[in-house]
Amino acid sequence: MVLEKEKTSIGIFAGNNSLDLGKKIGAAYGQSLGKYSLKRFSDGEMSFTYNESIRGCDIFLVQSTCPPSDNIMELLFMIDAAKRASARCINVVIPYFGYARQDRKEEPRVSIAAKLMADILSCAGSHRIMTMDLHSGQIQGFFNIPVDHLDSNGVFIPYIESLQKTKGLENFVFVSPDMGGVTRNRSYANYFQADMVICDKQRIKANEVHSMQVIGEVKGKNIIIVDDIIDTGSTLCAAASIIKKKGSKSIRAICTHAILSSADAYEKIEQSEIEELIVTDTVPLKKPSPKIQVFSVADIFAKAIHNVAHNLSISSLYKH
């Protein structure tokens, strides 16, 4: 007897930190999220169980790792359970990849946490990583498995184009709040054939800016600050303050990952010179703000999942 060969089925599961985004991705893909149970023991230990068969399936596990500890452990349990349940391919979708800022040794005797995270995810059983706007693109090289590095410009560029059409804004200048974001800003400047400015900052310690200088002309320009992460908001607000003093016409900011971890992060943004802060839903906002607008990246991830599942290119998802 010859058995019929069935097509591999697709399963999409979302961890607790990315449930809202996961549901949007599932809806854009045209599929409900898979079912699972996550139990906790009294001492805080977690126990993860899939509530449906995933044997022979290509599964996509959606979980951002912010705040890192519990969400990372939950993701690792999801990967391990999928491996032990005989999933055919385990694709780990990490919209925001935590610990990415620790990608090199800047002083003696420190951990390169981004590399450690890559090793842990691989050892747990991941076959592929899908993420968005890594803090440093070279982190892809820390993995020995395929990495699909998606770009949020698919949602931000249409927004900037809408400013040109609806508000008649021209004379854009794209500002990198630090030297590390130059490549990211240059891609926007090239797309819009605009100028680019760099803020050269010096830190006393993590999340605390000591001094900042603006390299380039901003007077009379409509400024768009582009960054991958906004954490405490200190760098962004300091850059906006200096740029405003130098005579800029308007200031907007686009940041992919809105961590906004400090207690006064929202207050800083609302009291700053920034007119609008545009972010994505890779990390859920803790609360709404009149100055913060959220664009969803669910469609980008849904299309990427479709293309990966059907062995198609994902380069069409990028704005060039």
Side-chain angles (χ1 to χ4, degrees):
M1 183 176 71
V2 178
L3 296 176
E4 238 183 81
K5 192 174 181 181
E6 295 183 357
K7 291 182 179 178
T8 304
S9 59
I10 307 297
I12 303 175
F13 297 83
N16 283 291
N17 194 45
S18 295
L19 267 180
D20 287 342
L21 177 57
K23 289 175 183 176
K24 292 176 186 174
I25 292 172
Y29 190 82
Q31 182 169 314
S32 300
L33 292 181
K35 306 294 184 183
Y36 64 83
S37 299
L38 183 69
K39 300 175 184 176
R40 288 184 182 271
F41 294 95
S42 59
D43 63 355
E45 283 189 12
M46 289 180 281
S47 173
F48 184 91
T49 309
Y50 288 100
N51 293 341
E52 56 191 75
S53 175
I54 56 172
R55 182 179 295 274
C57 294
D58 285 355
I59 65 166
F60 292 83
L61 310 177
V62 183
Q63 176 82 309
S64 282
T65 57
C66 175
S69 53
D70 270 7
N71 293 319
I72 289 170
M73 290 305 297
E74 182 182 329
L75 178 57
L76 293 175
F77 293 156
M78 293 172 79
I79 296 167
D80 185 64
K83 177 177 66 177
R84 297 177 190 281
S86 301
R88 191 180 81 95
C89 187
I90 304 169
N91 303 279
V92 181
V93 181
I94 309 176
Y96 168 68
F97 182 79
Y99 290 107
R101 286 171 283 184
Q102 300 180 54
D103 62 343
R104 61 194 179 279
K105 288 187 69 173
E106 293 185 318
E107 55 185 281
R109 300 177 296 279
V110 297
S111 167
I112 303 179
K115 168 59 176 166
L116 178 61
M117 282 296 301
D119 289 343
I120 290 171
L121 288 165
S122 298
C123 289
S126 308
H127 295 119
R128 174 184 294 271
I129 301 294
M130 186 181 293
T131 188
M132 176 170 279
D133 286 358
L134 287 168
H135 187 62
S136 301
Q138 59 266 29
I139 290 174
Q140 296 172 79
F142 290 172
F143 290 89
N144 293 319
I145 56 177
V147 177
D148 295 313
H149 187 203
L150 304 180
D151 197 320
S152 61
N153 63 15
V155 295
F156 288 140
I157 285 178
Y159 159 73
I160 299 170
E161 290 173 333
S162 74
L163 292 177
Q164 294 176 315
K165 294 175 183 176
T166 60
K167 298 191 177 183
L169 294 185
E170 298 291 344
N171 297 321
F172 286 123
V173 168
F174 292 90
V175 175
S176 175
D178 53 37
M179 300 301 290
V182 170
T183 301
R184 185 180 302 109
N185 274 265
R186 185 177 289 121
S187 67
Y188 281 89
N190 290 341
Y191 184 93
F192 287 97
Q193 297 182 334
D195 293 331
M196 184 180 73
V197 166
I198 301 169
C199 292
D200 182 22
K201 69 181 178 185
Q202 295 182 0
R203 291 189 186 275
I204 302 173
K205 57 184 180 180
N207 296 131
E208 191 170 328
V209 178
H210 173 59
S211 63
M212 183 179 291
Q213 297 180 41
V214 177
I215 305 171
E217 183 58 55
V218 296
K219 188 175 181 179
K221 304 292 186 179
N222 291 304
I223 303 301
I224 298 181
I225 304 171
V226 181
D227 209 352
D228 61 318
I229 298 171
I230 175 169
D231 190 352
T232 64
S234 297
T235 298
L236 190 64
C237 293
S241 178
I242 294 170
I243 290 166
K244 191 66 176 179
K245 287 176 183 176
K246 289 185 175 290
S248 65
K249 193 173 181 181
S250 68
I251 303 173
R252 290 172 172 80
I254 56 178
C255 297
T256 309
H257 311 297
I259 302 173
L260 298 170
S261 61
S262 64
D264 61 346
Y266 288 84
E267 185 180 352
K268 283 180 188 173
I269 296 298
E270 288 162 14
Q271 295 179 359
S272 72
E273 299 290 351
I274 299 166
E275 293 182 20
E276 284 183 299
L277 171 61
I278 312 301
V279 301
T280 76
D281 55 355
T282 58
V283 177
L285 287 185
K286 295 180 178 71
K287 62 179 183 179
S289 169
K291 278 195 176 182
I292 301 176
Q293 187 177 168
V294 182
F295 287 171
S296 183
V297 291
D299 283 352
I300 295 175
F301 277 102
K303 289 173 184 174
I305 288 171
H306 173 273
N307 288 9
V308 167
H310 295 85
N311 298 313
L312 301 172
S313 171
I314 64 167
S315 62
S316 61
L317 303 180
Y318 298 97
K319 292 274 188 180
H320 297 287

